[in-house]
């Protein structure tokens, strides 16, 4: 059951406020008796309620009396106070994240080899999206076969959103696709890429035959390799992420000639393919 404590009041403050609503204007001593709040605590409790704008006190006369603010007004004030408190905390957290990001990035190693893997569709997609979001300078996407990242569902939406976010933050994105894959794209996927990426100079799409496998080359230092499910090629089986500048350089060396010889793929072609689908 919801209680005034859920909005930040203490047990004593909640009891005192409820009692004031029942008794009407009353003295601290009388309120202590009516609410079972110890006399030694009642003034601190009333001060707290006044700070929350839930109680009004008599400005003149003795003994001093207190009255409860009407519930509608009082609860709205509590809610507004909580909103302000949460907004202040969000600002603090955002400032902390900004400061820590700069601090942690400054201490991150530049070189060195590290690899990790995620198994299963959900974990694989989470890892892929995380690494796409980490791109700072360049992002190469090679799709040589059916890939869940180009489907019509949640996975395709998440990948498309990350590619859009990448070009928005200044990352050069190059997409190289097998021509047969372009023709087999689900209805709608081409339109999404057209709408989201056609206006970005940092995004380029090309096609090349005889591509095998799907991978992402991130900042020329990291490679994400997608492992399809052998029983269902459209489903992600695993993603292997390898951070190795030397290996990434070899991948770039193999990619560049393919890219130079590839045929430009206007994004309008993707939209036309959608209209046929």
């Amino acid at each position: 059951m919801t209680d005034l404590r859920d909005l930040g009041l203490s047990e004593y403050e909640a009891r005192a406020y409820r009692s004031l609503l029942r008794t009407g204007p009353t003295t601290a001593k009388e309120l202590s008796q009516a609410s079972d709040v110890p006399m030694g605590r009642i003034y601190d409790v009333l001060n707290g309620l006044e700070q929350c704008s839930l109680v009004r006190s008599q400005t003149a006369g003795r003994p001093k009396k207190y009255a409860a603010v009407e519930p509608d007004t009082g609860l709205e004030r509590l809610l507004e106070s909580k909103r302000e408190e949460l907004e202040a905390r969000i600002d603090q957290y955002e400032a902390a994240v900004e400061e820590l990001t700069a601090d942690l990035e400054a201490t991150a190693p530049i070189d060195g080899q590290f690899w990790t893997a995620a198994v299963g569709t959900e974990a694989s997609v989470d890892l892929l999206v995380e690494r796409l979001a980490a791109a700072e300078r360049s992002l190469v996407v090679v799709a040589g076969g059916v890939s869940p990242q180009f489907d019509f569902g949640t996975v395709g939406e998440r990948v498309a959103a990350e590619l859009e976010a990448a070009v928005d933050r200044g990352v050069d994105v190059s997409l190289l696709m097998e021509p047969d894959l372009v023709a087999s794209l689900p209805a709608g996927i081409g339109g999404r890429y057209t709408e989201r990426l056609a206006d970005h100079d940092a995004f380029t799409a090309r096609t090349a035959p005889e591509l095998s496998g799907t991978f992402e080359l991130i900042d020329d230092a990291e490679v994400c390799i997608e492992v399809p499910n052998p029983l269902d090629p459209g489903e992600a089986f695993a993603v292997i992420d390898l951070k190795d500048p030397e290996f990434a350089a070899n991948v770039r060396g193999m990619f560049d000639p393919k890219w130079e010889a590839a045929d430009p793929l206007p994004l309008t072609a993707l939209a036309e393919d959608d209209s046929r689908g």
Side-chain angles (χ1 to χ4, degrees), residues 228-235 237:
N229 187 332
L231 300 178
D232 183 358
E235 178 179 305
F237 182 75

Side-chain angles (χ1 to χ4, degrees), residues 167-233:
V167 294
D168 282 343
R169 64 177 180 269
V171 176
D172 289 323
V173 177
S174 302
L175 171 61
L176 184 62
M177 305 175 69
E178 174 80 34
D180 291 342
L181 176 59
V182 176
S184 65
L185 287 177
I189 186 68
R192 289 208 309 278
Y193 276 75
T194 301
E195 294 169 3
R196 296 182 180 185
L197 298 167
D199 293 334
H200 289 283
D201 293 335
F203 182 86
T204 307
R206 297 184 182 182
T207 62
E210 300 179 357
L211 298 176
S212 61
T214 297
F215 69 87
E216 291 77 30
L217 175 61
I218 303 166
D219 292 336
D220 289 330
E222 179 179 354
V223 182
C224 275
I225 303 171
E226 296 183 43
V227 182
N229 187 332
L231 300 178
D232 183 358

